[in-house]
Amino acid sequence: MLLYHRSIKKIIKHCTFSILAGTFVLSSAIMSGCSAETDTTQTTESESQEPISTTAIKLNTAVTVTIYDSQDRNLLTECMNLCDKYEKIFSRTASDSELYKLNHRQLTPVDGTDHTYQVSDSLAELIQKGLYYSELSDGAFDIAIEPLTSLWDFTAEDPQVPKDSLIQTALSKCDYRNISIGGKDNNEITLKTDDTAIELGAIAKGYIADRIKDYLKKNGVKHAVIDLGGNILLLGSKTDGSKYNIGIQKPFGETGEPITSIKVANKSVVTTGIYQRYFEADGKIYHHILDPRTGYPCENTLYSDTIITDSSLTADALSTVCYLMGYEAANDLIDQLENVDALFITNDNEIHYTKNFLR
């Protein structure tokens, strides 16, 4: 789920890059730090109008923005600037970020309070969304999981399972109900206990992708692909009006090959899976999707789930919520939501689609 500080070598080490002709291969999107590489040669309107694209290490992952109907490279520069802007707000680990300062009580409390802090509109909005999905999942997803996530280091050269006593201590601090939001402008955050801390990794990249899309639309772009470490957001269709072909990565595939693909336009496609960042200890796989109810990696029959909907934030959040809920409960949830589709890959490598998938 978010903005981990690690070297470019480690980022690349944990990424799977695959190219199929005219196909985006989508890997595990949430907290995986992995991106899909694209073949742009199949999506140009004509040979005289090549797309413009840029890739950079932002948000501690490989970020790529490709624009198909403009040659203004200043647009690409500003997209990357937006990544920098929001990392300085949402990063859990960067000591100069707004979230870090909130978690470490380095902001000035609101007058007359000990635990209430005024934050930026962007941080308040994302925390509010996080609380919504925490409530929706009845705590299966919990934005107050930071004390637990800080224990597990899946990017270490030799990752280790934390001591159970430390996990249980951290677990006792994780409860989204200890966070509230209010104030005149709804941007005052109350942390009800001294050890409550927030982790926004499950939803931050989706929020940022949506803001990049808003910026491009405001500047007249109608055809673009925004890829934030595998969180794919499609602005419009291909320039010829056809849909993009998005490949869904085969779990634990050695070459990043797709297990299936979907054709979509003007949608966000986000996958959460256990096969991109994990380690083995004593014959057991420990993956990065931590369960706030147990303190350990979530255990169920899912290898991955993929969410398709209009908002990248919604897709980002629901992909994690669904994994933590498990296949049956997640399938029931998605069937109750409008304009949201999902496919699930279970640990027998079977693919399951929600009712009326992409109809």
Side-chain angles (χ1 to χ4, degrees):
M1 308 223 102
L2 174 68
L3 317 170
Y4 293 93
H5 283 265
R6 58 192 192 217
S7 67
I8 292 178
K9 285 185 178 180
K10 284 187 177 179
I11 293 169
I12 295 174
K13 176 181 176 181
H14 290 279
C15 290
T16 299
F17 297 93
S18 302
I19 303 177
L20 298 180
T23 302
F24 296 88
V25 181
L26 178 65
S27 17
S28 177
I30 301 302
M31 293 183 70
S32 70
C34 296
S35 71
E37 190 166 314
T38 65
D39 178 356
T40 60
T41 61
Q42 302 296 316
T43 56
T44 57
E45 187 172 28
S46 69
E47 291 184 0
S48 61
Q49 179 67 45
E50 292 292 329
I52 57 173
S53 182
T54 188
T55 298
I57 301 302
K58 302 287 184 181
L59 315 175
N60 289 292
T61 190
V63 171
T64 300
V65 178
T66 304
I67 300 173
Y68 295 97
D69 57 347
S70 174
Q71 295 296 300
D72 184 357
R73 300 195 69 87
N74 290 327
L75 296 174
L76 297 175
T77 299
E78 184 57 30
C79 288
M80 294 301 171
N81 289 341
L82 286 172
C83 290
D84 293 337
K85 169 188 173 180
Y86 287 113
E87 181 163 25
K88 289 184 70 67
I89 298 174
F90 301 139
S91 174
R92 173 180 64 85
T93 56
S95 60
D96 62 344
S97 80
E98 187 178 10
L99 179 60
Y100 182 96
K101 292 176 181 177
L102 174 64
N103 281 339
H104 291 80
R105 312 306 193 264
Q106 294 175 2
L107 301 178
T108 302
V110 174
D111 289 345
T113 71
D114 292 327
H115 302 286
T116 300
Y117 306 89
Q118 188 172 49
V119 300
S120 66
D121 290 343
S122 295
L123 183 56
E125 181 182 2
L126 196 56
I127 290 174
Q128 187 171 44
K129 290 291 187 181
L131 291 173
Y132 168 79
Y133 286 106
S134 298
E135 184 70 29
L136 178 70
S137 66
D138 195 25
F141 172 86
D142 192 330
I143 63 166
I145 199 174
E146 194 279 339
L148 187 61
T149 56
S150 63
L151 276 182
W152 292 82
D153 185 359
F154 292 92
T155 65
E157 291 297 331
D158 183 24
Q160 302 291 324
V161 179
K163 291 182 179 179
D164 183 70
S165 60
L166 296 177
I167 291 175
Q168 299 308 318
T169 298
L171 198 58
S172 67
K173 304 173 184 178
C174 301
D175 189 342
Y176 71 93
R177 291 167 294 188
N178 288 328
I179 304 166
S180 63
I181 186 167
K184 178 182 177 182
D185 298 318
N186 214 34
N187 64 349
E188 293 181 1
I189 306 299
T190 299
L191 305 177
K192 299 178 183 179
T193 69
D194 291 336
D195 47 22
T196 297
I198 297 170
E199 162 71 82
L200 296 174
I203 52 180
K205 286 197 294 183
Y207 179 94
I208 297 167
D210 286 337
R211 300 293 75 77
I212 292 174
K213 177 182 177 180
D214 291 343
Y215 168 76
L216 291 177
K217 288 179 66 176
K218 182 179 178 180
N219 285 273
V221 175
K222 297 180 179 179
H223 305 277
V225 175
I226 302 160
D227 175 3
L228 270 59
N231 286 38
I232 304 296
L233 180 54
L234 308 169
L235 175 51
S237 63
K238 296 181 183 181
T239 53
D240 63 4
S242 63
K243 296 180 177 180
Y244 294 93
N245 196 33
I246 307 294
I248 308 301
Q249 186 176 333
K250 180 181 179 180
F252 298 103
E254 293 184 1
T255 61
E257 70 270 22
I259 192 172
T260 189
S261 64
I262 56 176
K263 292 184 180 297
V264 290
N266 207 35
K267 295 284 186 181
S268 183
V269 185
V270 178
T271 294
T272 288
I274 68 172
Y275 48 84
Q276 283 294 338
R277 183 156 12 116
Y278 65 91
F279 64 89
E280 294 187 29
D282 297 325
K284 182 179 177 65
I285 287 179
Y286 293 88
H287 59 78
H288 69 280
I289 308 170
L290 300 178
D291 190 333
R293 298 160 295 190
T294 68
Y296 288 86
C298 183
E299 295 187 10
N300 58 39
T301 61
L302 283 174
Y303 272 162
S304 70
D305 65 73
T306 298
I307 305 296
I308 305 99
T309 191
D310 293 340
S311 162
S312 190
L313 169 59
T314 301
D316 209 354
L318 284 176
S319 67
T320 307
V321 167
C322 285
Y323 190 89
L324 289 163
M325 292 179 69
Y327 167 59
E328 292 184 357
N331 189 52
D332 290 342
L333 172 65
I334 298 301
D335 281 342
Q336 297 174 45
L337 301 177
E338 294 184 3
N339 194 34
V340 180
D341 295 290
L343 68 85
F344 304 92
I345 303 176
T346 46
N347 55 14
D348 55 3
N349 279 315
E350 290 294 319
I351 303 172
H352 309 266
Y353 299 89
T354 46
K355 183 170 58 178
N356 301 319
F357 184 79
L358 293 182
R359 291 184 183 176

